[in-house]
Amino acid sequence: MTHKLSRRDMLKGTAAGAVGLVAGLTPAMAPAQDAVQIRWSQNEERWTPVVNNFNEMADTPVEIEFLSITGIDHEEVASKILSLLAAGQPLDAGYAATEATVLYAGQGVATSLTDRVKDNADELAEYFSDMAPILPEVMMWEGDLYQLPDGCNAPNMYFNLNVLELAGLEVPPADWTKDDFHEYAVATTNAGGQETFGYAWTNRLWGSWGPWYFVNDSNFLTEERAPGGEWLWETFYADNDTVAHRGGGWRWPEPSANHPNTVEALEYVTSLVAEGISPGIEMGGGSSLQGLYVTDKLAMTPAGGFWAGGLINAGMEKGTFDVQFWPQWKSQRHQLGVGGNWIFTGSPNPDVMWEILKFSVKREQMLSLKDRYRPLMRTTPVRRSMASDESYEPSGPANWHVFYDTLDRQDTGPIPAPPEANAVTNIHTRFTGLAVSGEMSPQEAMDQAQAELVALFARTRG
Amino acid sequence: MSGTTTTTVQERHTVNPLDRPWGRWIQMAFLFFIGLLTLMPLLWVISTSFRTLRDSFTVPPVWIHFDFDFSNYQSVFDTIPFLNMLRNSFAYAGGAVLGGAVTSALAGYAFARLQFRGRDVLFWVVLSTMMVPGQMTIIPVYILMGVKYLNLVNTLWSLIIPSIFTAFGIFLLRQYFRQVPGDYEESALIDGANQWQIFRRIYLPLAAPGIAILSILTFNSRWNDYFTPLVFINSQQAMPITMGIVELQGEWSTGSIAVVFAGIVLSVIPVIVVYIFGQRYLLEGLMMGGIKG
Amino acid sequence: MASETLATRERRGSLLGWFRADTFEGVRRQRAILGYLFLLPAFIGLVAFVVGPMFVSFGLSFYRWNIFKPPDPIGIANFQRLLTDSRLPGIYGNTMLLVVGTVVITQVLAIALALGVTQLRSRKFAYFLRTAWFLPVLMSGAAVGVTLSYLFQREFGPINYYLGVLGIDRIPWMTSASTVMYTIIITAVWKNLGFIFVIYLGGVVSLPQEILDAADVDGAHGWRRLWTVTLPLISPIMLFATVINVIGAMQIFDEPQIMTRGGPGDGSRTAVMYMYEVAFKEQEFGYGSAIAVTLFIAILIVTGIQFALSRRWVFYG
């Protein structure tokens, strides 16, 4: 008898579950295969307005199947795209930042846009003329252009003005030096009797301690400009006298992790941790760092234009933070990452996709991207005209012009991102972690990083 | 055994140190302490989710101060299609529970109570599937789900179908079926029950607690699965809530952590409800079941 | 015997007769057929979605494959590389430490909790505790990682604050390669304790009370009763709980991935994280598969040992 009772309960539960299941499944059950023409791995919500606008003016409207990639992390995005490619799923376009641009270009996954850009030179002239030349240059690989720049970020120094005030300091001038920085860092550590830190950063490739080896006239890998690219410079920047030294993208021929200047930069940031000026350096996305910053426990940190809107979103008030160039050391060279869309080599509809891309870089289309430049600036715009008093009005910072001025500095260059960028990032963060946590001396750490990089390049390039 | 009187048992019991007052207090304090440790982080998440980020990281930590600032919760609904994602998660987890219970009960019973050639080898094959990290098989499975074969990519079926075949469930229920004393079966045979009836009427009800536990654990693991949807699901329409939580963190982690915590709280409520319901069923099933009788 | 069976079959003249239960042989056959039928659904699914893909992946370990270009057969070069990979010993050391630490602590605590909570007189208190212990299980690995990384934060995290109240110096939970693995162990125990507890609870609650009473009568109380009666009675569940716990601990991925990304250095990198990193981040699917093979074999050996030893201590009623 008792058995029957419990069985009935179970059946009841099963039936309820089954009904719920069927109700839950129906809307998302059928594969979306009706009349899909374009498969684009991009943020659906952000890009839908642009696609709608495109359809209004296009002769043949497109239907986009967005392959949404959620993931704050580069590796999550990469595993998604890699799975798509491995499964042979048709794909038309995707999105990549500097870390992956050269990977997709070098592996022949992304198709060169050079001929298409040349054929549409008149239409695109306005776009390129509104853009610092470094941006398309970073999107080139061996003389060909692979992506139309869409957003970029160069690490500048962010100041929490509340903490600066505790130390009686103001935002330094543009030509400040590493010594000035050090004074600031010391003064803002435990400022005004409160527990504060002068400086902190997150262990990753972009904006980690990279800005320090850049200003120390060094890099994690040696770099050189690839030949080529004259077609771009002659077509779009003929009257710009600053492009003479530019080429066809970057190459990173050799590791230089244990170059004395690189080691010196690591020694400097490690000493800041040892002296208690920096908290323990964590791996990852930097969310706890943002927490420290927003709650006025941290004075200075490297971040790009994306942080302006980000900090407001996280509850910081306008006017309580500001930015400045990275301090001078042996140089004042800044590093940079650029993002943009690329077209898949095996795309079934490359022509349509190109029309969409070309359309999407028009000024008004960029502005209609949801939550990108309006209401808050969530990245540094690639168009000079979009970095304005008006656009930074809701978020600040007061020195917003630093973001775009960094792109106009003639020596600004990309983060070290060869085709092996993912493996390089891993070696970079791993040995950085060992050095800043005191398990290895900076010299030891960089010697071992160098050895691993040499072995890596031997495997991939040998 | 039948000769023992209740009083003797009672007397003997008092010898147990845990029955002495101080022993019981120490025991209760220990159990409560562990409860505190498991409870506190969640309490902290809840309390932080009701404050603005600027008030999140106070030292000393604040546990029960609520500003009742619901803006973080509002942001969750503004940023992601929360209810739709919730429904997708329910379908995924519910489908996995129903399918998993059926296949696991059948196979678990076969391994525990039936004799056939190759049983032990087959059991090891099943067991070995547990030892393969999901990260390694995801690409072949994805190819199988793709256009060329099943054409289920970007549907909830692509999540549900692979998760109803679980070595974990088979193994769990095998152990439960094995724990049941063998004399039940003999008496059923004498009563003229056939083999299906023995399974259906005798063993299945006795394994109800095991099925309840399996259901809770399966529901929970699928509800919290992030990796499979990350690869198989492409559209917001079919995304489960775990992907929504990640979206709340924002590109470059520029989302507010307080909003993320609000999302975590909202997404954990349904599983808590399922657990509370399942727990009740689990204990009632045990009390009503035949094991003690 | 054989001729009799044959005769019976001929007499009934149908295949159905072969399954009839009125002979010992018939019952045995029925049970065998039922066994195969019951296994069929699970087996088809597991072959399609796990065993098949597993063989594909293992086959890949003899190739160099970066997804972008067709796989290139390279024989056993990936396995030779395993032998010279200087990161592998440390990573397996981490994995072993994680498994031993997590499993020992979790098992002892989970058994203690299951036995303790069933002895409580207050049902409400027991209900509260069961729910409290299970709460971490309800959170996703990613949510646990995000939450605990705030709690473990060295400078402003609540954990170091309370340790400071007790006079203990700040511990670099996530930022020192020599302590980070213990942080991951604590996290894994915290997350999985309720899971293992519930499995034991099912076993403990269904213990036949007469046997326990009888043990008391025979003079076995307290610890002795625990060792000689209670634990043997729940030993099938113990085998399950330890095997599951070991396999789970060897595959922990989400929490360290979110909290530390395997760092500092390789301080908190486990075998499965390394495999994922090599395959997905560095696009070396062949070498990643070779690492997966080692992990599979390691789990197989450990589980095999557990089952072999279980013959000595697991008691089936």
Side-chain angles (χ1 to χ4, degrees):
Chain A
M1 245 250 310
T2 48
H3 289 171
K4 273 182 190 156
L5 228 169
S6 66
R7 247 199 342 261
R8 201 185 303 144
D9 274 1
M10 205 149 87
L11 281 174
K12 223 161 45 184
T14 311
V19 169
L21 176 66
V22 171
L25 281 179
T26 25
M29 208 162 51
Q33 43 177 197
D34 38 311
V36 168
Q37 289 166 9
I38 297 289
R39 292 164 58 88
W40 191 359
S41 140
Q42 221 345 328
N43 184 319
E44 179 169 6
E45 239 188 306
R46 181 186 295 160
W47 282 79
T48 299
V50 173
V51 173
N52 291 344
N53 295 346
F54 178 81
N55 279 338
E56 272 174 29
M57 65 119 244
D59 304 330
T60 44
V62 294
E63 197 173 311
I64 308 254
E65 186 191 344
F66 282 102
L67 310 177
S68 287
I69 293 177
T70 49
I72 30 177
D73 246 308
H74 191 62
E75 53 208 357
E76 286 163 351
V77 176
S79 59
K80 175 95 187 186
I81 288 188
L82 291 175
S83 312
L84 282 169
L85 297 176
Q89 292 283 105
L91 183 70
D92 292 289
Y95 185 87
T98 301
E99 289 90 338
T101 302
V102 167
L103 167 66
Y104 297 137
Q107 295 291 350
V109 178
T111 181
S112 160
L113 303 178
T114 302
D115 289 340
R116 294 183 187 275
V117 171
K118 279 185 195 163
D119 292 346
N120 294 270
D122 293 346
E123 210 177 323
L124 289 167
E126 183 272 336
Y127 167 63
F128 284 105
S129 70
D130 196 14
M131 188 158 60
I134 179 73
L135 299 172
E137 193 182 19
V138 169
M139 298 255 137
M140 279 199 271
W141 167 247
E142 299 297 330
D144 280 313
L145 187 72
Y146 283 87
Q147 294 171 214
L148 296 181
D150 165 70
C152 62
N153 278 295
N156 293 120
M157 191 71 80
Y158 268 70
F159 300 90
N160 180 317
L161 299 182
N162 295 333
V163 183
L164 246 54
E165 198 179 327
L166 287 176
L169 292 170
E170 284 176 0
V171 178
D175 61 350
W176 69 319
T177 64
K178 172 177 165 273
D179 293 336
D180 298 334
F181 166 82
H182 197 79
E183 277 174 33
Y184 266 67
V186 171
T188 49
T189 299
N190 297 323
Q194 306 207 16
E195 182 159 28
T196 58
F197 287 94
Y199 179 67
W201 47 282
T202 305
N203 186 2
R204 56 188 174 202
L205 183 66
W206 180 97
S208 161
W209 58 286
W212 290 111
Y213 52 67
F214 264 59
V215 292
N216 205 26
D217 241 354
S218 181
N219 204 333
F220 199 60
L221 309 172
T222 62
E223 54 180 292
E224 64 185 33
R225 279 190 154 89
E230 295 83 6
W231 64 271
L232 184 94
W233 309 123
E234 284 161 14
T235 316
F236 298 109
Y237 297 93
D239 51 357
N240 186 326
D241 48 11
T242 68
V243 298
H245 66 292
R246 302 205 180 267
W250 265 263
R251 288 170 179 163
W252 292 269
E254 306 277 344
S256 63
N258 62 352
H259 186 282
N261 289 12
T262 312
V263 175
E264 190 184 15
L266 184 58
E267 277 164 355
Y268 179 59
V269 292
T270 308
S271 74
L272 294 179
V273 178
E275 290 163 29
I277 291 170
S278 295
I281 303 302
E282 289 174 15
M283 288 289 296
S287 62
S288 73
L289 188 124
Q290 178 178 278
L292 294 184
Y293 198 79
V294 170
T295 52
D296 297 339
K297 295 182 168 93
L298 174 60
M300 295 181 285
T301 189
F306 68 93
W307 230 35
L311 287 176
I312 297 287
N313 245 22
M316 230 171 148
E317 275 165 46
K318 188 192 164 191
T320 57
F321 60 91
D322 208 345
V323 291
Q324 189 49 280
F325 290 120
W326 207 257
Q328 294 181 42
W329 193 353
K330 292 190 178 64
S331 77
Q332 201 170 6
R333 182 172 192 244
H334 285 65
Q335 60 165 223
L336 166 78
V338 189
N341 293 292
W342 51 273
I343 299 180
F344 182 49
T345 313
S347 161
N349 309 294
D351 297 340
V352 183
M353 198 59 232
W354 166 249
E355 289 303 318
I356 299 171
L357 284 196
K358 204 172 60 176
F359 179 77
S360 74
V361 298
K362 292 179 194 295
R363 188 170 193 277
E364 60 279 15
Q365 298 313 323
M366 286 191 147
L367 284 169
S368 67
L369 289 168
K370 186 167 183 283
D371 268 341
R372 184 73 160 165
Y373 306 105
R374 289 171 177 170
L376 294 168
M377 297 297 268
R378 305 301 297 271
T379 188
T380 305
V382 294
R383 282 173 171 273
R384 191 189 314 274
S385 65
M386 278 165 58
S388 63
D389 273 322
E390 187 198 358
S391 56
Y392 283 99
E393 163 61 27
S395 65
N399 271 342
W400 57 263
H401 58 85
V402 162
F403 297 135
Y404 211 93
D405 289 351
T406 305
L407 310 177
D408 282 331
R409 297 181 74 99
Q410 289 310 301
D411 56 353
T412 298
I415 53 172
E420 304 89 344
N422 289 335
V424 169
T425 304
N426 182 282
I427 294 170
H428 192 280
T429 52
R430 207 147 33 83
F431 288 102
T432 301
L434 288 170
V436 292
S437 67
E439 320 281 331
M440 278 186 189
S441 74
Q443 184 69 53
E444 275 176 312
M446 288 301 105
D447 282 342
Q448 289 203 22
Q450 180 77 8
E452 280 200 20
L453 287 166
V454 168
L456 170 72
F457 282 13
R459 216 162 45 236
T460 56
R461 301 178 178 189
Chain B
M1 194 163 86
S2 55
T4 328
T5 62
T6 335
T7 28
T8 357
V9 176
Q10 239 8 68
E11 278 164 20
R12 300 285 183 138
H13 255 304
T14 54
V15 185
N16 187 338
L18 286 181
D19 279 345
R20 289 184 192 134
W22 58 265
R24 291 206 82 88
W25 279 112
I26 291 177
Q27 187 191 12
M28 277 165 77
F30 170 73
L31 298 178
F32 185 70
F33 176 69
I34 301 286
L36 216 57
L37 289 185
T38 51
L39 198 60
M40 290 298 254
L42 209 66
L43 210 67
W44 186 76
V45 168
I46 294 171
S47 131
T48 308
S49 73
F50 280 107
R51 282 175 296 184
T52 57
L53 183 66
R54 280 185 66 76
D55 299 326
S56 308
F57 304 101
T58 39
V59 180
V62 177
W63 297 91
I64 42 171
H65 167 82
F66 298 96
D67 286 341
F68 289 103
D69 175 74
F70 286 94
S71 62
N72 295 325
Y73 287 85
Q74 187 60 46
S75 299
V76 172
F77 287 94
D78 291 347
T79 317
I80 54 173
F82 185 79
L83 291 177
N84 186 46
M85 290 179 160
L86 213 59
R87 199 193 56 198
N88 290 332
S89 284
F90 260 112
Y92 177 20
V97 166
L98 294 180
V102 173
T103 61
S104 304
L106 293 176
Y109 180 73
F111 281 130
R113 287 289 162 184
L114 301 173
Q115 289 80 39
F116 48 90
R117 194 168 303 190
R119 187 181 75 166
D120 293 345
V121 176
L122 288 175
F123 180 64
W124 270 93
V125 171
V126 168
L127 212 56
S128 69
T129 62
M130 246 186 338
M131 305 168 196
V132 190
Q135 286 83 355
M136 211 55 237
T137 52
I138 195 111
I139 285 188
V141 174
Y142 190 76
I143 295 172
L144 189 64
M145 286 291 167
V147 198
K148 273 185 233 158
Y149 302 98
L150 300 174
N151 196 18
L152 290 174
V153 166
N154 200 24
T155 70
L156 289 169
W157 294 117
S158 69
L159 304 177
I160 295 170
I161 293 174
S163 56
I164 61 183
F165 310 107
T166 99
F168 169 80
I170 295 170
F171 185 20
L172 177 76
L173 294 186
R174 169 189 186 258
Q175 297 308 93
Y176 272 95
F177 283 122
R178 286 194 79 161
Q179 212 191 10
V180 177
D183 23 317
Y184 285 101
E185 188 179 324
E186 284 160 30
S187 48
L189 265 179
I190 292 164
D191 291 346
N194 68 30
Q195 289 300 320
W196 169 256
Q197 286 165 336
I198 290 175
F199 165 70
R200 185 71 190 77
R201 299 247 166 93
I202 314 272
Y203 278 95
L204 199 57
L206 286 176
I211 293 173
I213 289 173
L214 175 65
S215 302
I216 291 173
L217 297 180
T218 307
F219 189 92
N220 181 56
S221 79
R222 295 305 92 194
W223 185 271
N224 288 327
D225 182 24
Y226 171 66
F227 189 72
T228 331
L230 174 73
V231 174
F232 287 173
I233 300 297
N234 300 323
S235 65
Q236 273 206 338
Q237 199 194 13
M239 273 185 196
I241 189 63
T242 37
M243 298 180 80
I245 300 289
V246 171
E247 236 166 59
L248 289 178
Q249 294 181 34
E251 270 182 320
W252 298 89
S253 292
T254 50
S256 157
I257 194 71
V259 176
V260 176
F261 284 164
I264 290 175
V265 172
L266 286 175
S267 70
V268 91
I269 288 171
V271 261
I272 292 181
V273 172
V274 166
Y275 172 70
I276 287 173
F277 174 79
Q279 183 180 236
R280 221 182 67 197
Y281 177 76
L282 166 80
L283 294 170
E284 279 174 9
L286 284 169
M287 276 176 273
M288 285 187 286
I291 285 187
K292 286 180 180 174
Chain C
M1 181 75 180
S3 63
E4 197 187 288
T5 322
L6 199 69
T8 321
R9 262 168 77 188
E10 277 168 0
R11 199 169 56 237
R12 285 179 186 139
S14 74
L15 194 65
L16 208 71
W18 193 60
F19 296 123
R20 290 293 289 261
D22 43 15
T23 65
F24 181 71
E25 279 289 295
V27 172
R28 227 194 50 179
R29 272 197 299 269
Q30 274 185 9
R31 291 169 66 80
I33 299 290
L34 202 65
Y36 291 122
L37 280 178
F38 275 17
L39 275 189
L40 201 62
F43 212 72
I44 290 175
L46 286 175
V47 166
F49 295 110
V50 191
V51 180
M54 176 173 97
F55 277 110
V56 172
S57 286
F58 289 180
L60 273 181
S61 62
F62 298 101
Y63 289 82
R64 179 199 294 273
W65 187 39
N66 73 352
I67 287 234
F68 306 116
K69 300 193 172 106
D72 174 21
I74 52 167
I76 57 164
N78 284 324
F79 292 95
Q80 286 167 335
R81 190 176 151 194
L82 280 174
L83 296 176
T84 55
D85 188 334
S86 60
R87 296 175 62 190
L88 213 54
I91 286 166
Y92 261 103
N94 289 341
T95 312
M96 287 302 143
L97 180 64
L98 178 65
V99 169
V100 173
T102 310
V103 172
V104 169
I105 300 173
T106 309
Q107 293 294 320
V108 171
L109 277 179
I111 294 175
L113 296 187
L115 292 174
V117 80
T118 47
Q119 287 174 10
L120 287 176
R121 295 208 177 108
S122 162
R123 287 185 64 180
K124 279 187 182 155
F125 187 50
Y127 185 81
F128 163 77
L129 288 179
R130 282 199 312 265
T131 311
W133 296 335
F134 200 72
L135 282 177
V137 184
L138 300 177
M139 293 170 77
S140 64
V144 166
V146 171
T147 307
L148 292 196
S149 61
Y150 275 86
L151 296 176
F152 278 121
Q153 214 275 337
R154 179 165 164 254
E155 283 78 21
F156 302 105
I159 293 175
N160 271 355
Y161 170 77
Y162 287 114
L163 292 178
V165 170
L166 298 176
I168 299 169
D169 278 348
R170 282 176 179 167
I171 297 172
W173 292 105
M174 295 182 296
T175 51
S176 154
S178 44
T179 50
V180 67
M181 216 53 223
Y182 298 98
T183 311
I184 304 297
I185 290 175
I186 294 171
T187 306
V189 171
W190 185 81
K191 167 92 170 91
N192 295 308
L193 179 60
F195 181 94
I196 303 293
F197 156 74
V198 162
I199 290 171
Y200 276 118
L201 185 68
V204 170
V205 174
S206 55
L207 282 180
Q209 192 61 39
E210 325 93 87
I211 299 184
L212 296 179
D213 290 345
D216 265 339
V217 173
D218 296 344
H221 328 285
W223 291 110
R224 218 180 125 211
R225 191 179 88 173
L226 180 71
W227 282 110
T228 56
V229 183
T230 313
L231 291 185
L233 278 177
I234 59 166
S235 58
I237 303 293
M238 270 171 84
L239 173 66
F240 174 77
T242 45
V243 167
I244 287 293
N245 206 349
V246 167
I247 293 177
M250 288 187 100
Q251 297 186 10
I252 285 175
F253 179 79
D254 287 357
E255 294 89 342
Q257 183 71 17
I258 300 236
M259 290 171 73
T260 62
R261 299 279 195 285
D266 276 333
S268 58
R269 205 173 313 270
T270 63
V272 65
M273 290 168 81
Y274 187 43
M275 177 211 81
Y276 176 76
E277 171 198 308
V278 167
F280 281 91
K281 271 189 85 176
E282 296 171 18
Q283 297 97 37
E284 296 206 51
F285 278 86
Y287 188 51
S289 298
I291 298 169
V293 171
T294 67
L295 185 63
F296 177 78
I297 292 172
I299 301 179
L300 200 68
I301 290 173
V302 174
T303 312
I305 291 172
Q306 283 176 278
F307 270 88
L309 291 179
S310 78
R311 299 221 174 89
R312 293 162 182 250
W313 61 269
V314 173
F315 163 85
Y316 291 109

